Amino acid sequence: HCEPGETNVTTPSDINSCRMDLQTACGRQGRVVSKLRDIWQGCCQVPLPCPVKPPVKWSQCAATDTDKTFRPTGVKRDCHICQDGCKKKCDAIGARVGDQFCGFQGDTVFLGLVCTCCCREKTMIRPPAAPTTPALPTPLPAPDNICKPKDIFVAFQLGSRSCASCSPECEKKCLGMASSMVPIQCREGPPRKGKCCCTESNAAAALPLNG
């Protein structure tokens, strides 16, 4: 295919006059030949004053391509042999045909074709990025209140005292409210903290202890 801004031209040529005919066709447009696609078609580069591309080297690939030139056996003047052969040569190395040129051996007598195949690296398509897994929400801390709705929740700091002091302290606080103590929980610090429930009914079912 031709590059953006270039024009495609087709001429009723044979292998002996195709290059001259293409140059004439591009010259009518004020352009020069940038690529020979086959013996009938070529590309005319963008007209001046745009920068002129270097002259086409009909038998040389670009430095970034892999040259797989071959000379088919026989003396048949058929450039389709080059087209088909170039595709096979490039497919064999996992590449695509970037450019190809059909030339011939001999100045006055046709001695056979010279097929220049320029194999170009295939364009890699990046796979879509894997979806990211959303981070799990941080679990909420357990509620501070360990009591039933009808009980009174009491919490206090033990300071430097051990958890052995928790039960007497709870009983003292519940007695001060004319009630009795039910479940109790002591958390090792720092700081150490005691929690308990005071209830007016001694028959109230105690909640399980939490460590």
Side-chain angles (χ1 to χ4, degrees):
H1 64 278
C2 298
E3 300 297 328
E6 296 183 341
T7 56
N8 180 76
V9 292
T10 302
T11 61
S13 304
D14 58 30
I15 196 168
N16 296 309
S17 61
C18 61
R19 297 180 187 177
M20 184 179 297
D21 291 342
L22 285 172
Q23 289 171 354
T24 301
C26 290
R28 294 194 188 103
Q29 303 177 18
R31 303 176 180 227
V32 295
V33 178
S34 62
K35 183 189 296 184
L36 176 66
R37 297 177 59 190
D38 55 38
I39 62 172
W40 299 286
Q41 293 183 329
C43 299
C44 304
Q45 77 172 54
V46 292
L48 299 176
C50 296
V52 178
K53 292 183 179 179
V56 174
K57 296 181 180 179
W58 300 103
S59 60
Q60 183 174 337
C61 296
T64 53
D65 293 341
T66 301
D67 190 337
K68 287 293 182 180
T69 297
F70 69 99
R71 291 172 171 79
T73 57
V75 292
K76 189 176 181 181
R77 299 188 184 191
D78 184 1
C79 278
H80 289 99
I81 296 173
C82 290
Q83 288 180 300
D84 297 338
C86 282
K87 186 177 186 309
K88 292 178 181 178
K89 294 280 186 182
C90 294
D91 285 347
I93 61 172
R96 62 185 176 89
V97 179
D99 219 338
Q100 56 188 341
F101 312 106
C102 177
F104 54 91
Q105 305 175 66
D107 295 329
T108 57
V109 179
F110 179 75
L111 300 177
L113 294 174
V114 178
C115 302
T116 301
C117 308
C118 303
C119 301
R120 196 163 297 167
E121 184 180 2
K122 291 182 178 179
T123 304
M124 301 298 293
I125 301 176
R126 294 184 178 180
T132 56
T133 304
L136 296 176
T138 304
L140 296 175
D144 203 41
N145 191 338
I146 62 171
C147 301
K148 292 182 178 180
K150 65 179 182 178
D151 295 334
I152 302 171
F153 173 67
V154 177
F156 50 90
Q157 300 289 341
L158 291 173
S160 60
R161 293 176 293 170
S162 69
C163 276
S165 305
C166 190
S167 182
E169 185 71 20
C170 252
E171 289 179 352
K172 178 181 176 182
K173 291 184 178 295
C174 289
L175 287 174
M177 293 184 287
S179 59
S180 58
M181 180 187 71
V182 277
I184 183 170
Q185 183 184 80
C186 182
R187 187 189 71 185
E188 293 288 350
R192 291 187 177 93
K193 185 176 182 180
K195 295 186 288 185
C196 60
C197 303
C198 299
T199 181
E200 295 180 358
S201 173
N202 292 332
L207 293 175
L209 295 180
N210 295 319

